[in-house]
């Protein structure tokens, strides 16, 4: 499942996303944690010290490697140089799986040991002085979007993304890449303003949005959030001595997290898992193509000197069926079956996956 944590700066979204990651790891689930916020705080929230966090490999700096790997043998993508952040996969593209090892993870992911298990951590990299005046930090988060476009995940596999603060996530189509989005909101007018923006932007794209009220001190705060966001309010979280100790760099064992906060994390997990039955791979692929064509027309064609609309494979639908087709193809080819027959079978299966 792909899960996004969003919210205004200072709302506590990174803290809550790190707690959710720890919760999944404690249950022994495979987790890829992604820091897509240009202010890189997820590593420290997962227990890394300043030096360890600074040594994490930046996905934005390894974009050529990512593009070359994901392109694979896709005949519709002429070169890695013509790939942009929204380039969709097609027949011949290499796809990413949560549990596998591959060159992208080898270059960009680092294991983080937690007291309940381990997760793979990937980071976009910070916005640097070299970017000022010549670039936009969305080019760095584009590496995340490209990976999500090529990622096939199944039940009991989790990709948790700490997103850019505020409504900047809407600068691309990445906000549609998730099974569920948790918006972390404080019980203030500013705290719910991002919720209103997100709700409005996401309305036409079927984005499943739930609000996690943070820094809640009493019933009045709960009543305020309920009045502002209605049934989208999933759960509220208050003060935590465990979190305060974590922020000082001295987190206790995770099993000592307060019962009320452990209950909140279990409710998040239940909500995430229940979203699996509503997953629509065809819509997911269609939205991917929609934003790719918009980007191609707005700036991509001019920048690459290519017609990027031609990168769209009309017969391809990303989904778990694609994985089964890959296994079928490898097995059939090993037994001497005609490669063209397997290719045609794969195209048919991908359309109905």
């Amino acid at each position: 499942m792909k899960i996004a944590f969003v919210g205004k700066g200072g709302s506590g979204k990174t803290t809550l996303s790190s707690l959710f990651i720890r919760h999944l790891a404690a249950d022994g689930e495979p987790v890829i944690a992604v820091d897509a916020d240009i202010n890189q705080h997820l590593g420290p929230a997962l227990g890394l010290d300043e030096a360890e966090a600074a040594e994490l490999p930046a996905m934005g700096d390894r974009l050529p490697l990512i593009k070359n790997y994901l392109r694979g043998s896709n005949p519709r993508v002429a070169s890695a140089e013509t790939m942009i952040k929204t380039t969709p996969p097609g027949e011949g593209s290499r796809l990413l799986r949560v549990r596998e090892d591959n060159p992208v993870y080898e270059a960009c992911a680092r294991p983080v040991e937690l007291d309940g298990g381990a997760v793979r951590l990937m980071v976009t990299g910070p916005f640097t002085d070299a970017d000022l005046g010549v670039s936009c930090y969305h080019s760095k988060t584009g590496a995340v979007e490209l990976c999500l476009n090529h990622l096939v995940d199944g039940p009991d596999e989790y990709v948790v993304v700490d997103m850019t603060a505020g409504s900047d996530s809407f600068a691309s189509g990445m906000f549609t890449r998730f099974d569920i989005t948790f918006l972390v909101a404080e019980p203030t007018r500013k705290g719910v303003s991002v919720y209103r923006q997100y709700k409005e932007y996401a309305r036409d794209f079927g984005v499943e949005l739930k609000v996690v009220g943070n820094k809640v001190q009493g019933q009045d705060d709960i009543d305020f959030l309920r009045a502002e966001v209605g049934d989208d309010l999933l759960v509220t979280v208050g003060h935590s001595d465990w979190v305060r100790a974590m922020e000082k760099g001295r987190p206790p064992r995770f099993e000592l997290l307060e019962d009320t906060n452990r209950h909140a994390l279990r409710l998040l997990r239940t909500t995430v898992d229940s979203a699996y039955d509503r997953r629509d791979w065809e819509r997911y692929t269609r939205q991917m193509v929609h934003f790719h064509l918009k980007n191609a027309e707005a700036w991509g064609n001019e920048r690459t000197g290519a017609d990027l609309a031609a990168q769209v494979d009309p017969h391809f639908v990303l989904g778990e069926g694609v994985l089964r087709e890959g296994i079928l193809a490898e097995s059939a080819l090993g037994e001497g079956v005609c490669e063209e027959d397997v290719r045609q079978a794969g195209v048919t299966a991908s359309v109905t996956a």
Side-chain angles (χ1 to χ4, degrees):
M1 304 296 291
K2 304 180 186 74
I3 306 107
F5 280 81
V6 301
K8 78 174 186 66
S11 64
K13 69 178 179 61
T14 297
T15 297
L16 282 168
S17 62
S18 72
L19 290 177
F20 188 60
I21 290 165
R22 290 177 183 268
H23 175 68
L24 294 172
D27 286 346
E29 305 297 355
V31 180
I32 295 176
V34 182
D35 193 342
D37 192 339
I38 208 63
N39 298 307
Q40 306 271 275
H41 297 309
L42 186 56
L46 292 173
L48 300 185
D49 60 33
E50 188 174 328
E52 291 171 327
E55 292 174 357
L56 292 170
M59 296 176 70
D61 294 341
R62 290 155 178 80
L63 196 52
L65 179 149
I66 294 172
K67 289 181 176 181
N68 273 303
Y69 180 76
L70 297 180
R71 175 185 170 232
S73 60
N74 186 341
R76 295 176 180 272
V77 182
S79 67
E81 289 72 26
T82 62
M83 291 183 75
I84 61 174
K85 62 184 179 180
T86 52
T87 295
E91 185 184 355
S93 297
R94 291 194 181 99
L95 304 178
L96 302 175
R97 287 85 168 173
V98 171
R99 301 173 191 262
E100 71 177 2
D101 295 319
N102 58 55
V104 172
Y105 294 160
E106 182 179 346
C108 302
R110 293 294 179 266
V112 175
E113 299 292 333
L114 303 172
D115 55 5
V119 302
R120 282 171 164 158
L121 174 62
M122 304 172 72
V123 303
T124 61
F127 191 59
T128 66
D129 290 343
D131 296 315
L132 295 175
V134 297
S135 185
C136 171
Y137 68 76
H138 294 113
S139 63
K140 292 181 179 292
T141 58
V144 179
E145 186 170 355
L146 197 57
C147 286
L148 291 176
N149 281 353
H150 289 73
L151 177 69
V152 179
D153 55 308
D156 300 319
E157 297 178 337
Y158 300 89
V159 180
V160 182
V161 183
D162 181 21
M163 296 280 279
T164 301
S167 57
D168 279 1
S169 303
F170 291 94
S172 72
M174 193 158 68
F175 74 98
T176 67
R177 303 295 84 200
F178 302 99
D179 294 288
I180 193 163
T181 295
F182 292 126
L183 189 143
V184 181
E186 300 168 82
T188 64
R189 286 187 297 174
K190 287 185 178 180
V192 298
S193 63
V194 174
Y195 161 78
R196 293 196 185 96
Q197 286 179 303
Y198 227 100
K199 186 76 171 179
E200 182 64 27
Y201 290 147
R203 190 183 310 276
D204 295 333
F205 294 94
V207 173
E208 186 159 349
L209 181 67
K210 291 296 180 182
V211 174
V212 180
N214 194 27
K215 305 179 185 180
V216 170
Q217 297 183 12
Q219 187 61 45
D220 185 63
D221 286 345
I222 297 175
D223 292 343
F224 172 82
L225 286 170
R226 181 70 68 186
E228 294 293 329
V229 308
D231 292 340
D232 285 340
L233 182 63
L234 177 65
V235 70
T236 60
V237 180
H239 173 78
S240 169
D241 290 333
W242 193 99
V243 169
R244 179 63 63 87
M246 178 197 73
E247 291 174 341
K248 294 177 180 177
R250 301 192 297 268
R253 297 192 312 278
F254 187 65
E255 63 189 34
L256 298 178
L257 182 70
E258 298 88 353
D259 287 342
T260 54
N261 292 326
R262 294 179 70 85
H263 170 75
L265 294 175
R266 286 195 294 270
L267 181 56
L268 294 187
R269 166 106 188 247
T270 300
T271 304
V272 167
D273 289 344
S274 67
Y276 180 78
D277 291 337
R278 297 187 294 279
R279 173 177 282 188
D280 185 342
W281 283 110
E282 290 189 1
R283 185 181 70 182
Y284 188 84
T285 305
R286 187 168 60 250
Q287 290 177 342
M288 188 191 314
V289 169
H290 168 77
F291 283 103
H292 179 64
L293 295 178
K294 285 187 65 175
N295 278 271
E297 183 176 353
W299 57 269
N301 290 343
E302 181 178 356
R303 182 171 302 180
T304 63
D307 177 13
L308 300 185
Q311 293 180 339
V312 176
D313 185 341
H315 302 296
F316 186 87
V317 174
L318 187 68
E320 292 165 78
V322 176
L323 296 185
R324 292 191 293 271
E325 294 150 24
I327 295 172
L328 169 65
E330 291 177 5
S331 173
L333 290 172
E335 297 172 2
V337 176
C338 172
E339 182 173 359
E340 178 63 17
D341 290 342
V342 174
R343 188 190 68 80
Q344 292 294 340
V347 170
T348 301
S350 68
V351 172
T352 59

